[in-house]
Amino acid sequence: MRILDRSVYVGPSLYARFPVIRLDLDLGELEAWPTGRLGGAFVDALAAALPGLAEHGCSYREPGGFFRRMREGDGTWLGHVLEHVALELQNIAGEEVTFGKTRSAGAPGQYTVVYEYVQRDEGIAAGELALRLLCSLLPQQLRPADSVPEGWSWPEARDQFIRFAQRRALGPSTASLVRAAEKRDIPWLRLNDQSLVQLGHGKYQQRIQATVTGRTPHISVELASDKEETNKILAGLGLPVPRQELVQSENQAVRAAHRIGYPVVTKPYNGNHGRGISIRLTTDAEVAHGFHVAREHSRSVIVETFLEGDDHRLLVVNGELVAATRRTPGHVVGDGEHDIVGLIEIVNRDPRRGVGHEKVLTRLELDAQAMKMLERVELKPESVPPRGQVVYLRSTANLSTGGTATDVTDIIHPDNREMAERAVRAIGLDVGGVDFLSKNIAESYRTIGGGICEVNAAPGFRMHVAPSEGTARDAAGPVIDMLFPAGTPARVPIAAVTGTNGKTTTARMLAHITKMAGFTPGLTTTDGVYIDGQRTVAGDMTGPVSARMVLADPQIDMAVLETARGGLLRAGMGVNEVNVGAVLNVQADHLGLKGINTLEQLAEVKRIVVEVATDCAVLNADDPLVLKMSGYTEAKNICYVTMNPQHTLVREHIRAGGRACALEAGVNGQMITLYDKSGHIPLLWTHLIPATLEGRAIHNVQNAMFAAAMAFSLGIKLDAIRQGLRTFDSTFFQAPGRMNIFSEHPFKVLFDYGHNAHAVSALADLAGRLDVAGRRIVVLAGPGDRRDEDLVAIAQAVAGRFDHYICRRDDSLRDRGPEEVPRIQAAALRAAGVPEESISIIPDEQDAINAALNMGRSGDLLLVFADALVRSWKQITKFRPAGAPPPAAAAAPPPAFLGDGTAQVPAGGGEPPAPAFSLEGLIRDERGVRYAPEAAD
């Protein structure tokens, strides 16, 4: 039994609308050993290792259902068992995950195992540990070789996994803030492996790190860390604080204790979490020892008056007390029968106690600090305390060291409440925790005394949201309400577009429209990430990583996400929902890759974009596979796009008050028309859109219709949509590799990135509609990872439409021979009736383009399908026909910047502007390819 492959989906995918991991599992000979055949001993051993599996309902949907499934008849196969074990391992580490499914992958013994996860590394480790645990429980003769290392211990591996998971999981305080944000429909992004989290998107974002917010003043955090200065400030305001002195040596500590008066406390100058604190010190020797304990955590040590009373944490948010908790140090209570070790074991059986922060309480440990506490009361681990005797194992009451918490919010005296609020305001914190010692929190400190030990920045919420006793308090909610007051936006509008062809141009059009409307768009495309029209990262950025880049940018207030098949199959979508999702078309491309072999399967992948749309799903009504997607979206509106004004379904949809975008004929040409709520809205003549070449480029007419429909569904005003379409052209600098035309040679060059039959056919149709006095020449290719039939289809799409055909290959062979692709396509052209003399095979892209340019004569049209876009465009613009005069010496005028920030270079003059790069010009794109300025294509 082994894992063949693994995919981690960060968002909506084919399997779920939330993060899941997919394992390709090979059972090998264990395919013949379902749980029924393995016998009850295997099931019993698994139940003993993971008792929580008894709560798994499986298909019976009731506790015990999973074990019932394992025992009945033949039982179930180990792939299904691994799914449940991976989930339960995450459960015992503190995560709430329940979703999983296992299906046969077709080949005997091979399964697809899918299970939910919260944290990526933890989820991966859960799958690996699940496999190892199952192997360890198998009979020796069935156990795969090297599957269980010698000396491997399940309890030890389990605890290591829990600690591993907790090191990577959000802490209890951060997690409570994230949950509070989710309840308020505020999106969030984790920005590092610790507790730095972005709440909200784009320019509306706020950041937190644990309970420090982006609004917490740095000077206040520094002041709270300076216990001596905090003490002075609070004392100056008349607030109750103990007398204290700052010391740097053991002798100074002892002298300070004498001046202050015993008993005293020693603690680090800038410590936290109760580390290094020693309390109720009554002798010089104890003070000296306490000094060295504190010195392990800080160069300077504070000696202060020991105050009698219970330890309380008073939480203040935005100037108001929201929770109060009494904390009790970790301890055991004698029963007259068990020794200290036994009492600790009894306490740790409490299901609320776990390792670290996995549970609301932490296990007690008999460590060096506990031994010191026992020595103070003259006890040993083997001592048996009498019934009722409380034996403390810690001097401080932190939950992380085994302490308990009791909520006292409802009984705190108003004077004590006011005191805590004044103290936090005095330090300047928006979120602060006051450590207050009092014999009775229900009585005023003015009457019975008490004092403030510390004011904490980044106070923990665990004790408030999950107290050991009393009412749980919503400590996180007031923080989120402070950061996002009622009516404050947290989300930016998000539009996602997918399809086999046209998605890059449509996404660029839409981003340009939103910029014309006054937004600051973030755009992801196949050639990079753009913020407000400026490329910030180069490469194929159409997956979840780039989506997060855009949404994390503090400038943007609109996101336009080109979403490609590859990213969806590899890692899912980068967002859980979009406002507007569009599917342009589903055509044969990339078939035979990543398990997608049919158009129907490809449609299911692309359908994800509209399945997560909330406001509007924009669908191509002229594509049957896209049209069927209307039954899978829960968006409030469906907007159909059709170039057929007689479309029966769209007509009925419009009559019912639905939304649509149709192409209608008029006396002045063809009009893009919007329909909504029975309203008829003529938008723009197609010949007024530069990217359509006066309406001749039918595919760009359709792209413009989708951009208009998406913009309208985003609530953008009609005039802004019109202005955006009228100012968006198909120059290389605004839409590189998308129907770019160069006219400064005696012949014209039509330049495109088309790499499948549908796209190639659309450009061939356009070439046929253009007025050409001379010949039509095409430079043809196809990606090496496509099926032979796809390469043949590309050749068939141009056969008979041109006077000469040059067949080439891409730079990346993708496991093909050096001339394999061009020879396949040349053979397809011959089979389609193209004469041999009209076909040239020139494998290298640069050589092929150069041959076409040299072949060109006045009045000719060259259609060049390119792969290395920047290099090939430069090759075309710098080409000089034989005998042509050198370029003019006059300096070219500086580039004029378009509305979306991209540069428009005058035809024939100058080079394209240098692309923008981050990370010193080098970054790994989402397909793992490295890009640099010299190879931006």
Side-chain angles (χ1 to χ4, degrees):
M1 182 164 59
R2 61 196 179 100
I3 296 172
L4 301 176
D5 195 14
R6 177 193 299 113
S7 296
V8 181
Y9 297 93
V10 301
S13 65
L14 282 171
Y15 306 101
R17 296 292 163 262
F18 41 80
V20 295
I21 290 173
R22 189 199 75 201
L23 301 179
D24 294 338
L25 185 70
D26 184 3
L27 294 186
E29 65 174 337
L30 292 172
E31 170 70 4
W33 288 85
T35 56
R37 187 179 179 191
L38 287 172
F42 176 83
V43 181
D44 292 341
L46 181 60
L50 287 172
L53 287 172
E55 298 300 316
H56 290 218
C58 198
S59 56
Y60 293 103
R61 302 186 182 279
E62 62 183 17
F66 175 57
F67 282 145
R68 179 181 169 188
R69 177 81 181 276
M70 290 182 70
R71 295 180 189 275
E72 287 183 345
D74 290 336
T76 188
W77 274 259
L78 289 182
H80 181 209
V81 178
L82 187 146
E83 166 207 322
H84 281 268
V85 173
L87 291 172
E88 182 58 24
L89 284 170
Q90 295 178 80
N91 291 158
I92 66 172
E95 306 290 7
E96 295 182 7
V97 290
T98 59
F99 173 83
K101 61 182 178 181
T102 300
R103 300 289 184 270
S104 171
Q110 294 191 5
Y111 293 83
T112 298
V113 179
V114 177
Y115 59 90
E116 183 181 0
Y117 75 94
V118 174
Q119 198 282 121
R120 176 191 176 97
D121 293 339
E122 176 188 350
I124 293 173
E128 294 174 347
L129 182 56
L131 179 65
R132 179 156 292 173
L133 172 60
L134 294 180
C135 289
S136 73
L137 301 179
L138 291 171
Q140 187 66 43
Q141 68 272 20
L142 294 177
R143 189 176 300 172
D146 302 324
S147 61
V148 182
E150 185 176 352
W152 184 80
S153 164
W154 159 244
E156 182 180 342
R158 176 198 59 206
D159 289 352
Q160 286 178 349
F161 169 76
I162 292 172
R163 292 188 177 92
F164 171 86
Q166 290 181 356
R167 287 195 299 270
R168 287 155 179 79
L170 294 174
S173 302
T174 310
S176 68
L177 287 164
V178 166
R179 287 193 295 269
E182 290 175 337
K183 289 180 181 178
R184 291 158 176 78
D185 195 33
I186 297 172
W188 62 279
L189 298 171
R190 188 172 183 177
L191 301 179
N192 65 6
D193 291 334
Q194 286 75 47
S195 297
L196 182 61
V197 173
Q198 174 185 312
L199 304 175
H201 287 158
K203 75 175 187 179
Y204 304 122
Q205 66 180 264
Q206 298 286 341
R207 290 181 179 175
I208 60 170
Q209 183 152 18
T211 59
V212 174
T213 78
R215 297 182 180 181
T216 303
H218 176 73
I219 191 172
S220 298
V221 176
E222 290 293 308
L223 191 56
S225 300
D226 189 331
K227 294 176 172 55
E228 182 185 31
E229 287 301 320
T230 296
N231 184 277
K232 290 178 181 179
I233 289 175
L234 299 183
L237 294 175
L239 292 170
V241 292
R243 182 183 172 189
Q244 66 176 211
E245 291 188 24
L246 186 68
V247 300
Q248 277 80 35
S249 71
E250 178 184 315
N251 289 336
Q252 289 179 354
V254 172
R255 289 197 297 270
H258 282 279
R259 286 190 293 271
I260 293 171
Y262 287 111
V264 297
V265 174
T266 56
K267 60 185 180 182
Y269 170 69
N270 54 0
N272 53 37
H273 296 293
R275 298 187 183 98
I277 297 178
S278 301
I279 67 171
R280 203 191 296 265
L281 308 179
T282 59
T283 67
D284 292 358
E286 289 181 345
V287 170
H289 179 268
F291 170 82
H292 290 292
V293 171
R295 191 66 179 269
E296 293 176 2
H297 302 276
S298 174
R299 295 184 61 184
S300 299
V301 175
I302 288 176
V303 181
E304 70 178 23
T305 305
F306 173 74
L307 298 176
E308 293 284 350
D310 293 328
D311 183 4
H312 297 85
R313 167 60 62 82
L314 311 180
L315 178 65
V316 178
V317 177
N318 202 24
E320 295 184 4
L321 185 137
V322 299
T325 300
R326 181 177 68 248
R327 301 184 296 181
T328 304
H331 65 278
V332 294
V333 179
D335 60 4
E337 298 179 9
H338 295 86
D339 60 14
I340 299 295
V341 174
L343 292 172
I344 290 175
E345 291 177 355
I346 293 171
V347 170
N348 285 341
R349 290 174 193 164
D350 185 340
R352 297 176 300 168
R353 290 190 182 270
V355 178
H357 295 299
E358 67 164 304
K359 303 286 182 65
V360 298
L361 296 174
T362 301
R363 293 177 185 172
L364 297 178
E365 299 288 345
L366 189 59
D367 54 12
Q369 189 173 352
M371 294 296 294
K372 185 69 176 177
M373 295 296 293
L374 292 177
E375 288 175 14
R376 287 187 178 183
V377 293
E378 299 181 347
L379 291 176
K380 297 180 179 180
E382 59 270 19
S383 300
V384 179
R387 181 175 296 277
Q389 180 182 352
V390 178
V391 180
Y392 289 101
L393 303 174
R394 287 291 187 275
S395 59
T396 58
N398 296 76
L399 268 66
S400 59
T401 57
T404 58
T406 303
D407 178 74
V408 294
T409 308
D410 292 334
I411 65 172
I412 186 172
H413 192 280
D415 285 351
N416 298 338
R417 177 186 295 268
E418 180 191 26
M419 170 210 65
E421 292 171 349
R422 286 185 63 206
V424 173
R425 281 197 294 267
I427 303 303
L429 295 168
D430 55 348
V431 181
V434 177
D435 288 344
F436 179 62
L437 292 175
S438 172
K439 295 178 181 178
N440 187 351
I441 197 69
E443 295 187 43
S444 171
Y445 74 92
R446 301 177 190 274
T447 303
I448 65 170
I452 299 172
C453 299
E454 295 181 18
V455 177
N456 297 276
F461 286 178
R462 181 186 179 196
M463 68 190 75
H464 306 299
V465 300
S468 314
E469 300 177 33
T471 304
R473 302 293 171 175
D474 180 16
V479 177
I480 303 301
D481 293 338
M482 173 186 70
L483 297 175
F484 296 92
T488 301
R491 294 179 177 271
V492 301
I494 302 175
V497 56
T498 191
T500 303
N501 296 307
K503 53 187 178 290
T504 299
T505 300
T506 302
R508 285 179 172 276
M509 281 183 174
L510 179 58
H512 182 69
I513 290 170
T514 63
K515 186 170 176 62
M516 292 295 97
F519 290 93
T520 301
L523 168 67
T524 68
T525 72
T526 51
D527 70 323
V529 173
Y530 292 77
I531 302 298
D532 199 24
Q534 299 296 320
R535 186 164 67 172
T536 58
V537 179
D540 186 346
M541 306 301 288
T542 54
V545 173
S546 55
R548 291 169 62 91
M549 275 187 197
V550 163
L551 296 173
D553 193 285
Q555 283 184 265
I556 67 111
D557 54 11
M558 176 72 71
V560 180
L561 309 178
E562 179 185 346
T563 306
R565 167 211 61 89
L568 291 171
L569 286 173
R570 183 175 57 252
M573 287 194 69
V575 292
N576 291 330
E577 62 182 46
V578 299
N579 298 88
V580 177
V583 182
L584 309 187
N585 45 63
V586 178
Q587 299 293 330
D589 194 15
H590 300 281
L591 297 180
L593 301 175
K594 290 187 175 292
I596 303 302
N597 300 307
T598 67
L599 284 176
E600 288 73 19
Q601 291 175 324
L602 184 60
E604 188 178 356
V605 175
K606 295 183 180 296
R607 193 178 71 202
I608 296 169
V609 169
V610 294
E611 289 177 346
V612 300
T614 58
D615 297 341
C616 187
V618 183
L619 302 173
N620 184 351
D622 300 331
D623 187 318
L625 289 174
V626 178
L627 187 60
K628 291 178 182 178
M629 296 180 189
S630 61
Y632 295 89
T633 182
E634 296 180 2
K636 298 173 185 175
N637 298 286
I638 294 177
C639 178
Y640 291 116
V641 176
T642 180
M643 303 182 76
N644 174 18
Q646 306 302 318
H647 198 295
T648 304
L649 185 147
V650 176
R651 181 181 296 176
E652 293 300 319
H653 180 70
I654 291 171
R655 288 174 178 173
R659 188 175 300 170
C661 181
L663 188 64
E664 298 181 343
V667 295
N668 196 32
Q670 291 184 311
M671 171 70 71
I672 295 177
T673 306
L674 294 169
Y675 290 88
D676 189 45
K677 298 176 182 177
S678 301
H680 175 256
I681 310 168
L683 185 69
L684 192 64
W685 297 107
T686 60
H687 64 264
L688 298 179
I689 303 172
T692 69
L693 302 183
E694 297 184 341
R696 292 187 179 93
I698 301 301
H699 62 289
N700 263 2
V701 171
Q702 187 180 61
N703 292 337
M705 293 171 68
F706 269 96
M710 295 179 74
F712 182 77
S713 299
L714 288 167
I716 295 176
K717 294 181 179 180
L718 295 173
D719 284 345
I721 299 174
R722 295 184 179 106
Q723 177 69 7
L725 292 177
R726 294 187 67 160
T727 55
F728 183 91
D729 59 32
S730 59
T731 60
F732 182 84
F733 309 103
Q734 193 160 44
R738 271 71 188 178
M739 203 186 70
N740 313 134
I741 295 181
F742 191 78
S743 303
E744 298 305 305
H745 296 320
F747 47 86
K748 286 184 172 61
V749 179
L750 181 57
F751 182 81
D752 199 86
Y753 182 61
H755 52 275
N756 58 64
H758 183 259
V760 168
S761 180
L763 268 293
D765 289 344
L766 173 61
R769 284 191 293 272
L770 295 176
D771 296 328
V772 177
R775 301 168 301 163
R776 290 179 173 86
I777 301 169
V778 63
V779 177
L780 188 65
D785 61 354
R786 302 307 193 266
R787 302 173 303 174
D788 287 359
E789 55 261 45
D790 297 324
L791 299 175
V792 169
I794 291 173
Q796 291 173 338
V798 297
R801 301 187 182 193
F802 293 84
D803 298 293
H804 197 84
Y805 304 80
I806 299 177
C807 299
R808 64 163 189 84
R809 56 163 171 77
D810 292 346
D811 291 348
S812 174
L813 299 180
R814 305 191 189 191
D815 297 325
R816 295 275 189 175
E819 297 187 6
E820 186 176 354
V821 169
R823 291 196 178 279
I824 288 174
Q825 294 191 316
L829 291 173
R830 295 187 201 99
V834 176
E836 181 69 38
E837 61 271 17
S838 298
I839 303 172
S840 299
I841 295 178
I842 306 177
D844 182 76
E845 181 175 48
Q846 295 181 77
D847 292 343
I849 293 175
N850 191 58
L853 293 171
N854 281 305
M855 190 181 294
R857 297 195 295 264
S858 179
D860 287 351
L861 172 68
L862 274 58
L863 173 56
V864 176
F865 290 105
D867 180 55
L869 298 181
V870 173
R871 182 188 70 196
S872 299
W873 183 253
K874 287 183 177 181
Q875 186 179 355
I876 290 168
T877 58
K878 291 176 176 291
F879 174 75
R880 292 291 174 265
F897 281 85
L898 301 174
D900 67 349
T902 53
Q904 171 69 68
V905 176
E911 295 183 18
F917 286 82
S918 66
L919 303 180
E920 299 180 353
L922 192 63
I923 190 165
R924 184 175 297 278
D925 81 342
E926 294 190 302
R927 294 184 302 179
V929 181
R930 297 190 71 83
Y931 283 83
E934 301 81 41
D937 53 68

